Amino acid sequence: MSEAAAHAVPQSQADKLAVQMVGVHKWYGQFHVLKDINLAVEAGERIVICGPSGSGKSTLIRCINRLEEHQRGQIIVDGIELTNDVRKVDEIRREVGMVFQHFNLFPHLTVLENCTLAPIWVKKTPKAEAEEIGMKYLARVKIPEQANKYPGQLSGGQQQRVAIARSLCMNPNIMLFDEPTSALDPEMISEVLDVMVGLAESGMTMLCVTHEMGFARRVANRVIFMDGGEIIEQNNPEEFFNNPQSDRTKLFLSQILHN
Amino acid sequence: MTDTTETFAPGTHPDLPPPLGSRGIVKWMRENLFSSATNTVLTLLGAYLIYLAVPAFLDWFILDAVFDAGSRNECWERAGGACWSVVVVRFDQLMYGFYPEELRWRVDLAFLLLFVALAPVLFDKVPGRRYLAIFSIVYPVIAFFLLWGGMGLEPVESAKFGGFMLTVLIGVSGIIASLPLGIVLALGRRSELIVLRVVCICFIEFIRGVPLITLLFIASTLLNYFLPPGSNFDLLLRVLIMVTLFAAAYLAEVIRGGLQAIPKGQFEAAMSMGMSYWKMMGLIVLPQAMKISIPGIVNTFIGLYKDTTLVVIIGLLDPLGLSQSILADSKWQGLSTEIYIFIAIFFFLSCFSMSRYSIYLENKLHRGHKR
């Protein structure tokens, strides 16, 4: 009931929207992984998506930069509709940064080269300028002294911070986080979350798939709960945690908060 | 026993060196050579065999060998060792085949320049690498004119090419030409474009499924039926093409193995930053895949290099082909051991260098990351 009202976005607001998904469906073979997803994300909004494993939350955000293709419905990112047009897809990917669960740094390049590669080759930024930007963001994630090391020489937390810096170097409007802390040792989670909190405070539009509920309470404008490929419930964090509406949400929250 | 067991308060235990008995050469010998009665017997037996074989071989190979005799009989009258004279006398022929004597400086020059051209490709700390790289690109043209003549140089037919010069020519050209072709075939075989993929698969499976000798026969005889009558398509060039295609098919599979070892996340990270297919492949995937494939690639190269000896079957005079004519000479009959050892040494030096270079490259590209 409450979710029906949430995704009805007035047309006047539509041009402010960072991401708009209308009636999106996706199948993996016979498996219906996303069912009628309707989601509107305003610029500057910070959204946390949670849900049990296999609920389609990663697939949802991977559709936004077309790492996964949707088969029905409409996805509009920064005013550009995602279609099979490769140029549009590349255009969107330049605007949308992504941070992965397993960092996916390029192991054959130094930390700084990881940060400058895409700006130099995709955005045609001059090398000196790209390095300056790279160092700026490495400083922002608090590891400028590691710039000339290789990713394999860093800890997991440091690698994930490099991955965030690497995405920021493309100067994205939207950042997607796909379980950024779930592959980390416990003592390294907070250093990554701190960087993400700093990013949120700077006004970045963020969509995070995460189970860090403390993070969700602190920075999210909206928490979305997914199960079975559907958005079951969405609300501001206060209401979401203190007053969950659906039984599945209640069950999920009790499971992750009391283990 | 005599160990002093010190105790430390929790949290203050220092790092200690390992105990004395677990390092050093005595320990190594005890573990590897004399670890049991059987091993001790085998070690002593092995030492005795080495004692028997090595001095006898050295006598034959160097100490009793003859280097400056005029014929086999003179060799055998003077000493009982190897008769290296045959190699000394026929050295030029083994090197150049029937390349005109007064023009052999051109082969030498081309060979020397080959190293200048290879240096910037193989090593990244060569002074003036950028300028040398330009030379590397034009080198094939220079080498072509030096070897075959033209542009004011006296022309030489490729039928006169022979010996190690032919081996190096076919080997190096095959290696240089097959690598890029192999990469393209590997990418094509993984392509999402069905036509391209099918073409690549058919090509690779056909070439791999046929012996190299068959391909060489096709090059030497069958092609004449398909080419317009009177066209003069150099036999050596045809052989080069076949050797290249053969090696490329194998390389494609080696490189495909490397490509498959690259985690999906690398592709996704590259795509999520808006990289096109070619940038993703060229900057992210291939550098890593090629690094993984180095042992297999060098393996294929060494195989190709040694397979060049098969050209003797279609009448090209590589060192093995020349050795037949040398052994037919009544002055040197029966000295096959010496000639084959000499040829073996040459091949071993070439192939061992490639193997060492591949190890150097692997170490250089090691980035301390775990996979």
Side-chain angles (χ1 to χ4, degrees), chain A:
Chain A
M1 23 181 236
S2 64
E3 66 262 30
H7 60 69
V9 182
Q11 195 55 43
S12 61
Q13 254 181 294
D15 49 345
K16 283 205 319 189
L17 290 178
V19 179
Q20 190 178 11
M21 301 175 101
V22 183
V24 172
H25 289 260
K26 176 170 177 61
W27 289 262
Y28 286 131
Q30 290 295 312
F31 180 50
H32 199 166
V33 59
L34 291 182
K35 297 171 185 160
D36 191 26
I37 301 293
N38 290 285
L39 176 67
V41 182
E42 284 174 47
E45 221 185 335
R46 301 177 296 277
I47 294 182
V48 164
I49 305 170
C50 60
S53 129
S55 59
K57 50 199 191 310
S58 287
T59 309
L60 174 78
I61 69 164
R62 286 158 62 88
C63 280
I64 294 173
N65 64 354
R66 211 170 179 80
L67 287 183
E68 305 287 353
E69 224 168 287
H70 59 286
Q71 278 118 8
R72 207 197 290 167
Q74 214 185 6
I75 302 179
I76 301 165
V77 181
D78 253 355
I80 309 165
E81 183 172 356
L82 270 172
T83 58
N84 281 325
D85 184 341
V86 178
R87 265 173 305 160
K88 284 200 171 157
V89 171
D90 281 345
E91 201 178 323
I92 286 172
R93 284 174 176 170
R94 284 196 290 270
E95 311 256 312
V96 179
M98 184 158 203
V99 174
F100 299 86
Q101 181 177 7
H102 295 289
F103 331 138
N104 296 352
L105 293 177
F106 307 130
H108 62 303
L109 300 176
T110 64
V111 164
L112 184 58
E113 285 166 347
N114 263 280
C115 293
T116 59
L117 190 78
I120 291 174
W121 289 89
V122 178
K123 282 183 126 183
K124 311 288 179 209
T125 313
K127 189 168 180 243
E129 195 184 321
E131 283 178 352
E132 200 178 308
I133 296 170
M135 288 309 295
K136 183 180 100 184
Y137 283 113
L138 285 176
R140 185 156 158 196
V141 300
K142 302 186 187 72
I143 35 175
E145 72 283 358
Q146 313 283 5
N148 293 314
K149 286 195 183 166
Y150 287 94
Q153 297 167 300
L154 305 186
S155 72
Q158 289 172 324
Q159 289 192 45
Q160 192 59 297
R161 285 185 283 153
V162 172
I164 295 172
R166 177 176 71 175
S167 288
L168 292 177
C169 283
M170 287 293 279
N171 199 17
N173 297 332
I174 303 165
M175 284 288 284
L176 310 174
F177 293 84
D178 189 0
E179 307 208 21
T181 55
S182 39
L184 295 174
D185 289 335
E187 78 269 22
M188 294 171 180
I189 291 178
S190 68
E191 61 187 68
V192 171
L193 289 181
D194 284 347
V195 167
M196 289 170 63
V197 170
L199 198 57
E201 282 163 359
S202 75
M204 175 68 76
T205 311
M206 292 165 72
L207 283 92
C208 301
V209 173
T210 182
H211 292 147
E212 296 296 334
M213 292 303 138
F215 173 78
R217 274 180 200 274
R218 245 171 102 189
V219 304
N221 304 101
R222 182 154 41 131
V223 181
I224 293 177
F225 174 70
M226 285 184 74
D227 193 12
E230 290 176 280
I231 294 179
I232 302 292
E233 183 168 350
Q234 48 182 317
N235 218 327
N236 62 54
E238 186 82 0
E239 284 291 304
F240 180 86
F241 290 112
N242 297 342
N243 190 14
Q245 302 295 311
S246 99
D247 290 340
R248 282 196 264 181
T249 315
K250 285 176 195 161
L251 178 65
F252 176 76
L253 286 176
S254 73
Q255 279 165 340
I256 63 166
L257 295 176
H258 298 293
N259 61 0

